[in-house]
Amino acid sequence: MKSVQEAFREGRVVLDVQARSLELILRQAVSFMVAHELVPVELRDELERSLLDRERRASTAIGHAVAVPHVYMSEVAEPIIVFLRLAHPINLGAPDGIPTRFFFVLIGPPDSAAQHLDSLAAIARLMVDDDFRYEAGAAENPQELLEAWEHFNARTAPPQPVESKVPEGLVFTGKFAGGLLKDIRRRLPHYVADFRDGLRSKSVSTTLFLFFACMAPAVTFGGVMAEMTGRNIGTVEMILASAVCGSLFALFSGQPLIILGGTGPMLIFTAMLYSLCVDLGIPFLPTYAWVGLWTMLLLLILAVTDASCMMRFFTRFTDEIFAALISLIFIYEAVKALVYTFNDGSDYDTALLSVLLALGTFYIAMSLSRFRRSRYLLPWIREFLADFGPAIALASMTVVALLMHEVRLPVLPVPDTFETTSGRTWQINIFALPVWVVFAAIVPAMLATVLVFLDQNITARLINSPNHNLHKGEAYHLDLGLVGLLIGGCSLFGLPWLVAATVRSLNHVHSLATIEEAARPSGESYERIIHVDENRITGLSIHLLIGASLLLLPLLKVIPMAVLYGIFLFMGVVSMSGNQFFERLKLWLMDSSLYPATHYIRRVPLWVIHKFTFLQLACLAVLWVVKSSALGILFPLIVALLVPVRLLANRMFDQKHLQQLDADEVPEY
């Protein structure tokens, strides 16, 4: 590793080499050596020829985007390493299928074979590190490359002994507000960087995509909530709450990658609370306000008592079921809305065009999001199309709808003016109800607290998954307390309660991710995240745009709902990626001789894999039935029951098998 460090420190580095063939790359490497007097000029031709001959015998592309051309020459007195980074990766047939962008050119005397092998091993360890590859690809000079190497050393230094493998953010402190204060201390040093790291092109594409991806459910949930609450809470209230709460959360939360929004379970809870108020003959909004205030108090108590540490009992088993449920809800609602157009009295022209627009939006967004793997166009164009794919899809299909103006289409149902849905005043008189309701409201508040606690923390666990390669730390207690305060504030103004929205948050992470395509031993390709631009700019920008939309409500009416259903469909499908539950479900339809060589298939008997998957599927089915039934208010309790079900699995499965099927972090293939 010392020889690699010396190469970086002494500036033996060539960045952004404009070459698209191995011959030109090696020629530039040899020219650099000659120009810097690392080798005598008379060795130029022989060295170049020797390196090419070595590559013709067998490619030195070892995977992880790196190749190590090397040769022994008696005329060279000591080993030399030169690092080259290509402006455009080339395909050298690496075993993992990743195009090669980084070259370590090694030359040395014949008696340096042992040192040569040490250098090769050091380079292999270095390039396996996703963060180093990202930083090496972004370095603008040798000094930044040396800093990337130092960061690698710091990350891979021998760890201090730890008592358990519990994530840092879920370690119980046993002190009042201990976890909350640790969250603040952990995230505060990154606060300025959270803004600086958002000043990148990915932030623009992410903001445009997530603006519509968040606006659509805000409008949809707002419209449904208006119907279910007698127009006491509607679209304007949902948009306003999304803008204010989302902006405040982006500014003050510990994990700004989380997106707050309306969710199906919270919608069901609010609707049932309204029905209960009607049955009891008590005013809804003051009751709603007191339930929200009690919920705020209970959530703050949970935040300062480290209650989120209970999430350590939630594992991938629970996360996958919950994420699958939310993904399926998005897909189901999109399909349900499209099917409804054929049954709501609309003419068949409207129904057919709605389906075509939704499928067109979905197809364009999916195709462009995968375009970074394409062989066409220049790399920066591929990256641009992949990042802006959903926004391009939405804009293009909206233009198509406008060109076909002869067909009447349902458009985004936003109001014409900024006022409450029912015409009431904004502030709620919380004392306009019987005194006993103030204290009785704590009962539904307990259920609401369980719902918010689980929805918020499970989404946070999914966002903080090791597979997302985040580095700025977790903040479960801080975020739960902040959500509690926002719920209390919203309650006073009759605004809907917002919590972490799973699908929107996962799409936020994926949109900000630098993704690398690799291949499994079976030859099957897959994508892995090597870096995420963790920042506050995108979350803040998204919700400020949502707030600005209240000033431009008439302009939003040109967007057909069918296009937004296509975005819903895209979000639901994309959020399935990386969910091993869906991967294992596909095995049921696959020829067993063609199963991919995943870590669990190689180490766990097939019947055990199918049994584990069936258990998850049964839990998912129960969640779906409860969510869709009159017992929907009990949904949070059913989610909590997934923990004892997982504990029961310890008796049904061998622990070695569970370690593979339920590991938080996916092992390297």
Side-chain angles (χ1 to χ4, degrees):
M1 190 66 79
K2 184 179 179 181
S3 57
V4 177
Q5 177 190 10
E6 289 176 354
F8 293 156
R9 179 169 291 140
E10 295 175 10
R12 298 201 295 269
V13 171
V14 186
L15 299 180
D16 297 331
V17 174
Q18 297 288 341
R20 296 182 180 275
S21 70
L22 190 57
E23 291 81 359
L24 291 176
I25 294 167
L26 296 179
R27 185 173 302 163
Q28 292 206 34
V30 173
S31 297
F32 177 87
M33 294 180 189
V34 171
H36 289 75
E37 300 180 350
L38 298 175
V39 297
V41 66
E42 55 269 18
L43 285 182
R44 176 198 292 268
D45 294 339
E46 182 182 353
L47 177 56
E48 185 177 332
R49 184 169 56 253
S50 299
L51 287 169
L52 281 173
D53 289 343
R54 173 64 184 83
E55 290 298 320
R56 291 190 183 105
R57 290 196 301 272
S59 173
T60 58
I62 61 176
H64 295 285
V66 66
V68 193
H70 55 277
V71 69
Y72 298 111
M73 299 186 70
S74 57
E75 295 85 353
V76 178
E78 59 183 19
I80 299 170
I81 297 179
V82 173
F83 174 80
L84 290 87
R85 184 184 72 197
L86 303 187
H88 310 292
I90 63 172
N91 188 358
L92 295 180
D96 59 0
I98 300 175
T100 302
R101 191 185 180 194
F102 307 106
F103 284 77
F104 287 87
V105 181
L106 280 65
I107 63 172
D111 60 358
S112 64
Q115 189 175 350
H116 215 121
L117 290 174
D118 289 342
S119 297
L120 287 171
I123 291 168
R125 289 197 302 272
L126 185 66
M127 299 308 294
V128 163
D129 187 72
D130 293 336
D131 292 305
F132 176 80
R133 286 203 311 284
Y134 175 81
E135 293 181 16
E140 297 182 358
N141 51 58
Q143 179 59 34
E144 291 186 5
L145 199 60
L146 181 60
E147 291 173 2
W149 180 85
E150 292 170 349
H151 295 163
F152 167 79
N153 272 346
R155 284 192 302 273
T156 56
Q160 297 297 322
V162 293
E163 297 181 358
S164 68
K165 294 183 179 180
V166 176
E168 186 180 4
L170 297 179
V171 174
F172 184 70
T173 65
K175 301 177 182 178
F176 178 79
L180 181 64
L181 294 175
K182 285 184 67 175
D183 286 348
I184 295 173
R185 287 194 292 267
R186 186 183 305 115
R187 289 293 310 199
L188 191 58
H190 301 288
Y191 193 77
V192 175
D194 284 340
F195 289 93
R196 184 178 61 247
D197 294 344
L199 302 177
R200 296 174 182 172
S201 60
K202 276 187 180 293
S203 298
V204 179
S205 60
T206 298
T207 298
L208 291 176
F209 163 42
L210 266 300
F211 164 64
F212 290 105
C214 294
M215 188 69 181
V219 171
T220 304
F221 282 125
V224 174
M225 189 170 285
E227 295 180 7
M228 292 185 171
T229 62
R231 297 182 61 81
N232 281 283
I233 303 174
T235 302
V236 173
E237 288 86 352
M238 183 65 79
I239 294 175
L240 181 60
S242 298
V244 175
C245 296
S247 298
L248 292 174
F249 192 84
L251 286 173
F252 302 112
S253 67
Q255 180 47 275
L257 294 179
I258 292 174
I259 297 289
L260 298 188
T263 64
M266 194 60 74
L267 174 64
I268 294 171
F269 180 88
T270 306
M272 291 192 169
L273 180 62
Y274 174 77
S275 298
L276 181 64
C277 291
V278 172
D279 293 341
L280 295 176
I282 55 179
F284 168 65
L285 286 177
T287 304
Y288 175 82
W290 277 106
V291 173
L293 292 174
W294 281 115
T295 301
M296 175 188 70
L297 177 61
L298 294 173
L299 288 173
L300 290 175
I301 292 173
L302 293 177
V304 299
T305 56
D306 291 3
S308 292
C309 291
M310 290 189 291
M311 294 306 296
R312 71 177 71 179
F313 300 111
F314 285 71
T315 65
R316 177 184 284 269
F317 174 87
T318 308
D319 297 345
E320 288 179 345
I321 296 172
F322 189 79
L325 175 70
I326 304 301
S327 297
L328 290 176
I329 288 175
F330 265 72
I331 295 171
Y332 172 78
E333 293 299 331
V335 173
K336 176 184 174 182
L338 292 173
V339 170
Y340 180 72
T341 59
F342 287 90
N343 302 320
D344 67 348
S346 302
D347 58 66
Y348 286 112
D349 291 343
T350 298
L352 181 58
L353 183 58
S354 296
V355 172
L356 292 176
L357 289 174
L359 294 180
T361 304
F362 171 75
Y363 176 77
I364 294 173
M366 286 296 295
S367 300
L368 291 181
S369 68
R370 297 169 177 167
F371 203 78
R372 58 172 49 91
R373 305 184 226 166
S374 173
R375 300 181 180 181
Y376 300 103
L377 304 179
L378 296 175
W380 71 268
I381 299 178
R382 295 199 299 266
E383 194 73 18
F384 174 85
L385 293 175
D387 289 341
F388 284 84
I392 293 172
L394 189 145
S396 58
M397 287 295 102
T398 299
V399 170
V400 170
L402 291 174
L403 293 176
M404 304 188 71
H405 56 84
E406 298 88 352
V407 180
R408 295 177 60 86
L409 290 168
V411 294
L412 199 60
V414 294
D416 293 319
T417 57
F418 176 61
E419 61 180 0
T420 58
T421 304
S422 63
R424 62 173 173 84
T425 58
W426 284 103
Q427 190 170 358
I428 305 301
N429 182 3
I430 62 174
F431 298 106
L433 77 177
V435 176
W436 66 268
V437 177
V438 173
F439 301 98
I442 195 172
V443 177
M446 291 179 181
L447 286 174
T449 301
V450 175
L451 177 58
V452 174
F453 178 85
L454 293 175
D455 213 343
Q456 176 68 33
N457 282 323
I458 291 178
T459 301
R461 261 186 58 88
L462 291 168
I463 296 303
N464 292 317
S465 167
N467 295 330
H468 290 156
N469 218 6
L470 305 182
H471 295 289
K472 293 186 177 179
E474 305 154 337
Y476 292 93
H477 316 288
L478 172 61
D479 290 350
L480 184 66
L482 180 56
V483 167
L485 290 173
L486 293 175
I487 286 176
C490 288
S491 301
L492 295 175
F493 297 95
L495 300 178
W497 303 330
L498 305 184
V499 294
T502 307
V503 170
R504 280 155 274 180
S505 300
L506 289 173
N507 276 274
H508 192 199
V509 173
H510 293 158
S511 295
L512 292 169
T514 299
I515 296 174
E516 184 176 72
E517 185 181 6
R520 295 188 174 104
S522 62
E524 181 184 7
S525 64
Y526 70 102
E527 293 182 340
R528 63 186 175 204
I529 292 174
I530 65 171
H531 178 79
V532 176
D533 292 338
E534 302 176 61
N535 74 94
R536 297 179 186 271
I537 293 290
T538 50
L540 182 61
S541 301
I542 290 163
H543 293 96
L544 287 178
L545 283 178
I546 290 175
S549 69
L550 291 169
L551 306 175
L552 303 170
L553 294 175
L555 294 181
L556 294 177
K557 288 189 173 182
V558 303
I559 302 174
M561 284 302 298
V563 174
L564 297 180
Y565 296 145
I567 293 293
F568 267 45
L569 196 60
F570 169 77
M571 292 172 63
V573 172
V574 168
S575 61
M576 289 181 174
S577 63
N579 192 328
Q580 287 183 18
F581 169 62
F582 288 112
E583 292 179 4
R584 286 184 270 104
L585 271 181
K586 290 191 293 186
L587 300 180
W588 291 3
L589 304 175
M590 195 180 298
D591 182 349
S592 59
S593 63
L594 299 177
Y595 281 176
T598 59
H599 68 283
Y600 50 84
I601 287 179
R602 288 187 281 113
R603 297 169 182 146
V604 181
L606 293 181
W607 71 270
V608 175
I609 294 174
H610 296 323
K611 181 180 176 182
F612 186 82
T613 305
F614 180 80
L615 178 61
Q616 285 186 300
L617 183 62
C619 293
L620 177 61
V622 171
L623 282 176
W624 186 275
V625 170
V626 171
K627 176 197 75 69
S628 306
S629 69
L631 299 175
I633 199 169
L634 300 178
F635 174 80
L637 299 180
I638 304 302
V639 175
L641 287 176
L642 292 177
V643 173
V645 171
R646 171 59 181 85
L647 294 176
L648 182 63
N650 289 328
R651 298 176 177 269
M652 301 169 58
F653 299 90
D654 187 282
Q655 285 299 315
K656 291 186 297 183
H657 297 158
L658 283 177
Q659 288 174 3
Q660 299 299 322
L661 292 168
D662 201 24
D664 278 343
E665 190 167 5
V666 178
E668 287 288 334
Y669 291 98

